[in-house]
Amino acid sequence: MKSIALWRRGCLLTFLLLLCLFSFSQQNFHVSGKVLDETGKPLGNVTVAQKDSRNGTSTAVDGSFHLNVPSGNAVLVFSSVGYESQEVRRNGRHDLSLSMKISGSSLSDVVV
């Protein structure tokens, strides 16, 4: 009887430890910020995506965005037509405001 009770306690302890590890591995980090153009005006409809993932969002009319990422060191890619794409590493920051530069390529090359 003692061995069965000891085995049950061991299984329960193992289950609880695995449950704790699983809950810590699923932690999300909130990132927000504002995207501006070179003159300081807010940019709407800029795509903000986590690199190598389907996780992403777009900026609002005022240039603001909010995104949850699963990693504290996630790389975010900012892109918009007519502007150079930028990659920014989060590095534990919660605010990632940035300024986008106008692309050197001509907009006449874009086919809709």
Side-chain angles (χ1 to χ4, degrees):
M1 276 308 223
K2 273 189 168 181
S3 64
I4 292 175
L6 187 60
W7 183 79
R8 285 183 181 169
R9 286 182 185 163
C11 287
L12 180 62
L13 181 62
T14 303
F15 174 74
L16 291 175
L17 286 173
L18 289 175
L19 184 65
C20 289
L21 289 174
F22 180 73
S23 65
F24 283 118
S25 68
Q26 297 298 318
Q27 185 176 9
N28 280 331
F29 298 92
H30 180 75
V31 181
S32 61
K34 207 164 198 175
V35 179
L36 308 170
D37 66 6
E38 291 176 327
T39 63
K41 293 180 184 174
L43 283 176
N45 272 347
V46 174
T47 302
V48 182
Q50 181 183 348
K51 188 173 183 177
D52 300 328
S53 167
R54 291 180 173 230
N55 186 22
T57 189
S58 336
T59 59
V61 176
D62 65 350
S64 65
F65 71 92
H66 304 279
L67 184 65
N68 288 321
V69 294
S71 170
N73 291 321
V75 176
L76 299 180
V77 179
F78 295 81
S79 60
S80 183
V81 174
Y83 293 89
E84 294 178 7
S85 294
Q86 293 185 34
E87 292 186 7
V88 178
R89 184 171 298 276
R90 180 176 173 266
N91 288 335
R93 296 176 290 174
H94 295 283
D95 183 29
L96 288 178
S97 299
L98 69 119
S99 176
M100 294 193 66
K101 297 176 183 176
I102 294 176
S103 175
S105 64
S106 172
L107 285 179
S108 63
D109 295 341
V110 177
V111 178
V112 178

